[in-house]
Amino acid sequence: MNTEVLASKLVDWLKEKVYSAGATGAVFGMSGGIDSAVVAVLCKKAFGQNILGLFLPCYSSKKDEEDAIRVAQKFQIPFKKISLDPVYDTFMTILDPTENKTAKANIKPRLRMITLYYYAASKNYLVVGTGNKSELTVGYFTKYGDGGVDLLPLGNLVKSQVRDLARFFEIPEDIIEKPPTAGLWEGQTDEGEMGISYKELDTYILTGEALPHIKEKIENMNKKSEHKRSLPLIPPF
């Protein structure tokens, strides 16, 4: 599909889903990355000023904040920063200690989810997520964290297609090209944590082609993360 046509259809889809729910706009996280930048611009085109971009640092990098602010300023997106550092620290003091880095890191996106829904409820907005098809396929998101949203406009687009949209919207090139990260800990990157590149993942999703070990890894990740893409299971009796 032509990128311009795709952008227009996504804007129309957002309008339809938000207004049919009786909501008046959208709230979304702005992380300083490409996915959140594209979602922010889509929401701006759909709802004008009836939007809110939230930068929710939880021991996040200063560069991510700078990039989020640049996107908000360029596209005139209402923007608010709320530091979750003290909330995270307080919460950790009441939990049993663990050496599991992921268990501790996943608290961060879940705190962000709570904050997004607070503002969504207060403004009669829906929460628009930033996950794409590449991430969804292998379960590279936090259940009830960044996966806890109302709408996923990028959910049928692989990472390379998101980059095409970003260039169409004229999002700064350095944001498009910087290594994707969920910002869970210092130095963490999507590809490093997944153990495969987005190019390999996108190619497999779009064509079914991959080196045997890559194909096996993707299929195993997909199977193990199936519960993340489904509503809670209910007994059939």
Side-chain angles (χ1 to χ4, degrees):
M1 186 185 298
N2 175 281
T3 304
E4 183 176 3
V5 172
L6 174 62
S8 178
K9 288 174 75 70
L10 287 172
V11 168
D12 289 343
W13 181 82
L14 281 168
K15 289 180 179 177
E16 175 195 351
K17 297 304 179 185
V18 167
Y19 295 145
S20 66
T24 58
V27 60
F28 42 84
M30 295 189 70
S31 66
I34 179 175
D35 299 305
S36 67
V38 170
V39 165
V41 176
L42 285 170
C43 289
K44 171 70 176 183
K45 291 179 177 295
F47 308 112
Q49 290 300 104
N50 289 331
I51 58 174
L52 178 62
L54 294 177
F55 179 67
L56 304 170
C58 194
Y59 294 103
S60 305
S61 78
K62 189 66 178 175
K63 179 67 166 61
D64 288 343
E65 180 177 355
E66 292 169 356
D67 289 342
I69 291 171
R70 285 166 59 205
V71 171
Q73 290 177 340
K74 177 172 182 176
F75 297 99
Q76 298 181 307
I77 293 165
F79 179 87
K80 186 176 182 66
K81 173 186 173 180
I82 302 171
S83 175
L84 298 176
D85 293 1
V87 181
Y88 178 84
D89 289 342
T90 300
F91 190 57
M92 290 303 297
T93 65
I94 64 173
L95 301 178
D96 293 336
T98 178
E99 296 303 315
N100 188 313
K101 182 188 292 187
T102 302
K104 291 186 286 189
N106 279 338
I107 293 172
K108 299 177 182 181
R110 289 178 175 134
L111 291 174
R112 294 181 181 122
M113 182 272 291
I114 293 170
T115 310
L116 288 165
Y117 271 97
Y118 171 81
Y119 280 92
S122 67
K123 293 178 174 291
N124 191 32
Y125 289 174
L126 291 190
V127 176
V128 180
T130 63
N132 59 61
K133 188 170 186 176
S134 302
E135 296 164 345
L136 295 175
T137 297
V138 295
Y140 188 69
F141 60 93
T142 299
K143 192 173 185 178
Y144 304 121
D146 51 324
V149 298
D150 296 314
L151 302 172
L152 281 172
L154 307 183
N156 267 329
L157 305 180
V158 297
K159 195 75 171 185
S160 58
Q161 293 170 313
V162 177
R163 289 195 183 99
D164 291 341
L165 269 179
R167 292 194 170 97
F168 174 73
F169 289 146
E170 298 183 348
I171 287 166
E173 188 67 23
D174 61 309
I175 293 177
I176 295 174
E177 290 298 329
K178 76 176 185 178
T181 174
L184 298 179
W185 54 78
E186 186 176 354
Q188 183 258 345
T189 66
D190 293 3
E191 293 180 330
E193 196 173 358
M194 290 190 296
I196 51 176
S197 70
Y198 273 113
K199 182 177 181 180
E200 291 168 327
L201 180 53
D202 289 2
T203 298
Y204 176 74
I205 292 171
L206 295 174
T207 69
E209 297 179 0
L211 293 172
H213 72 284
I214 296 295
K215 181 178 180 180
E216 181 180 7
K217 186 175 184 66
I218 293 172
E219 291 179 348
N220 284 339
M221 292 172 75
N222 177 265
K223 183 177 180 180
K224 290 179 180 178
S225 62
E226 179 57 36
H227 68 97
K228 290 186 172 186
R229 294 181 293 273
S230 306
L231 291 172
L233 298 177
I234 299 173
F237 52 85

